[in-house]
Amino acid sequence: MSDQNPATGAASQNVTPPRPPRSRIGWFLGVGLLMLLVIGGVVYWQQQAGTEPAPAAQMMPPPEVTVATPVYQEITEWDEYTGQFSAVDKVDLRARVSGYIDSIHFQDGQLVNAGDLLFGIDRRPYEIDLEAAKARYDEAAARLDVATRQLERTSKLRKSDFAAATEFDERTSEAAGAKAALAGAQAAVEAAELNLEYTQVKAPISGRISKHEVGEGNLITGGNSGNTTLLTTIVSLDPIYLEFDMSEAQFLAYQRAYEAGKMQSTRALSVPVAGHLFDERDWTLKGNMNFVDNQVDRSAGTVRARVVFANPDAFITPGQFGRIRIPGSEPYKAILIPDSAIVTDQSRKIVLTVAQDGKVVPKMIRPGPMYDELGLRIVREGLEPTDRIIINGLLRARPGALVTPVDGKIEPVVASN
């Protein structure tokens, strides 16, 4: 018989909880066994290959950097300027007499020497003037001879009281007038000879001549003043000037240094100056300061100065531009480093040095100008000659970190052309 619930009248049954299927349990066991086999295989393979698992972490050695002490030597600072060459002498050639050009005795642009014949002016009118002046001179000489003889006779008669005093005075005056007329005639002859000489226009200086402004057959106007005709231009070449402008601040700095006894005056003619043309790198030209102006240009705030160079081969032409350098200091011991060793931190300039314990120590410096002879930067303040600065491997160095220093050497930096 089955039991019935008095409330429902339904028969009651015994209910048991469900069990997981045996297939799922077997799956988990298989996966675990497979993992054990894989791990065991890996360990066995490592042992067979003779390898061991790498350690979790190893200590890295400090990075290597190249260090060197600064270059420490005696130098002279130089200030560089751009200037323009100009001729020491320049002549605008004009004739002293008027006439027609009948010959030209030079090639345009050639070198000429002082005294060389350049232009010929028609001589015939001036030869005629000279002959006329000589004729007047002969006439004056004859009159003087007559007046002199008459004065001698009257003088003898006057001593015997056979001639009046008035007649003697007249003869004396006539002789003096004839003598003056002869002197005037002599001056006229000399003037005519000079004008005849001026028909040959010669080079007053040595140098290079420009092109002729008038050709043969042209009438030119000569003279010592007025609207005379320009024939050509001559410029001297050896020596040659180079003029440049320095700022008022630079001029004042030179004056201060001179007053402090740190350098000689820029007005001294013994100040050495080096220069070169724009297609050169070496300072091939050697000269001296020649002139510093006596006032500052109000409109530009600059002072005009001048240097003189030798130009024996006439290679430099007036009007060309060039570069010069003049001493900006007296010789002194300076610390020099390459620009690549300087780190910029906002407005500060820093050099990384390495202490004896291998730690990186930053030092703030005050750099100066470039020293072009070595291609290195002058350091005004912040470094000592014995400091070991990092010249290679800056990216591997950190302030306060350890590094492995390798000794190096600072070499001059030669810029390529």
Side-chain angles (χ1 to χ4, degrees):
M1 286 179 69
S2 61
D3 297 333
Q4 291 184 352
N5 191 317
T8 61
S12 63
Q13 297 179 355
N14 295 327
V15 180
T16 60
R19 297 181 181 179
R22 294 184 179 181
S23 61
R24 185 174 299 179
I25 295 174
W27 183 84
F28 282 115
L29 292 175
V31 171
L33 180 60
L34 180 61
M35 293 178 64
L36 290 175
L37 290 174
V38 171
I39 294 173
V42 172
V43 174
Y44 175 79
W45 178 81
Q46 289 180 343
Q47 291 177 350
Q48 293 296 322
T51 61
E52 296 180 356
Q58 291 183 349
M59 293 296 294
M60 296 294 294
E64 288 189 357
V65 295
T66 305
V67 299
T69 56
V71 176
Y72 187 60
Q73 69 177 46
E74 185 177 90
I75 67 168
T76 299
E77 291 188 33
W78 299 88
D79 295 330
E80 296 186 15
Y81 300 92
T82 297
Q84 190 171 20
F85 291 98
S86 62
V88 174
D89 295 312
K90 177 184 176 182
V91 176
D92 291 334
L93 195 63
R94 303 173 190 271
R96 295 192 179 185
V97 293
S98 301
Y100 287 91
I101 297 291
D102 62 4
S103 61
I104 298 176
H105 301 272
F106 66 92
Q107 296 292 327
D108 292 351
Q110 78 173 62
L111 292 173
V112 297
N113 296 316
D116 288 351
L117 178 62
L118 303 178
F119 292 92
I121 300 174
D122 187 5
R123 297 169 56 90
R124 291 172 296 178
Y126 297 98
E127 290 173 345
I128 294 173
D129 291 343
L130 177 59
E131 293 299 325
K134 288 180 177 180
R136 289 191 293 271
Y137 175 83
D138 292 340
E139 181 182 1
R143 289 180 180 178
L144 176 61
D145 182 63
V146 172
T148 302
R149 282 186 281 132
Q150 288 180 345
L151 177 61
E152 289 176 353
R153 287 194 295 266
T154 305
S155 177
K156 291 178 181 179
L157 293 174
R158 178 61 185 157
K159 290 178 181 179
S160 303
D161 203 20
F162 289 113
T166 55
E167 182 181 359
F168 177 77
D169 292 341
E170 289 176 358
R171 299 302 181 193
T172 302
S173 177
E174 289 176 358
K179 186 176 181 179
L182 181 64
Q186 177 64 34
V189 171
E190 293 176 357
E193 291 175 343
L194 193 59
N195 287 336
L196 181 61
E197 182 181 345
Y198 286 157
T199 60
Q200 292 186 330
V201 182
K202 299 180 179 181
I205 62 172
S206 298
R208 190 176 298 280
I209 195 168
S210 181
K211 65 183 181 66
H212 58 273
E213 300 292 340
V214 293
E216 295 181 4
N218 283 283
L219 176 64
I220 63 169
T221 302
N224 296 321
S225 61
N227 188 21
T228 55
T229 304
L230 176 65
L231 302 180
T232 188
T233 303
I234 305 175
V235 293
S236 64
L237 297 176
D238 184 29
I240 194 167
Y241 289 147
L242 188 142
E243 297 181 343
F244 66 98
D245 295 323
M246 68 178 74
S247 68
E248 183 179 354
Q250 291 168 325
F251 178 64
L252 188 60
Y254 293 138
Q255 289 181 307
R256 296 293 187 192
Y258 170 69
E259 289 183 352
K262 296 181 179 179
M263 61 180 297
Q264 59 181 324
S265 172
T266 52
R267 294 187 182 275
L269 300 182
S270 59
V271 174
V273 179
H276 66 73
L277 301 177
F278 275 102
D279 63 343
E280 299 174 327
R281 289 201 57 83
D282 297 331
W283 301 95
T284 56
L285 302 177
K286 307 299 180 182
N288 296 93
M289 290 286 292
N290 176 265
F291 165 75
V292 177
D293 209 348
N294 60 356
Q295 59 183 342
V296 177
D297 188 334
R298 294 184 179 183
S299 61
T302 57
V303 179
R304 176 60 57 90
R306 190 175 66 194
V307 178
V308 59
F309 291 110
N311 188 29
D313 55 359
F315 183 79
I316 304 173
T317 301
Q320 284 183 285
F321 287 88
R323 291 283 291 175
I324 64 166
R325 65 177 189 177
I326 64 177
S329 72
E330 290 295 322
Y332 72 98
K333 285 279 192 177
I335 294 176
L336 304 160
I337 64 174
D339 264 347
S340 59
I342 301 176
V343 179
T344 301
D345 182 13
Q346 295 182 352
S347 61
R348 300 184 303 173
K349 301 295 184 181
I350 298 173
V351 171
L352 299 182
T353 65
V354 178
Q356 293 298 325
D357 58 0
K359 285 187 177 181
V360 177
V361 179
K363 288 193 173 183
M364 188 170 65
I365 64 169
R366 184 167 72 89
M370 288 292 294
Y371 185 61
D372 290 334
E373 292 187 8
L374 297 178
L376 301 176
R377 178 74 61 180
I378 299 172
V379 177
R380 301 287 194 200
E381 297 176 357
L383 280 182
E384 297 295 333
T386 56
D387 286 335
R388 297 191 303 168
I389 67 172
I390 299 177
I391 60 175
N392 191 10
L394 286 172
L395 297 178
R396 297 189 294 270
R398 296 291 183 270
L402 291 174
V403 293
T404 303
V406 177
D407 290 336
K409 185 180 180 181
I410 296 177
E411 299 290 346
V413 179
V414 180
S416 59
N417 292 330

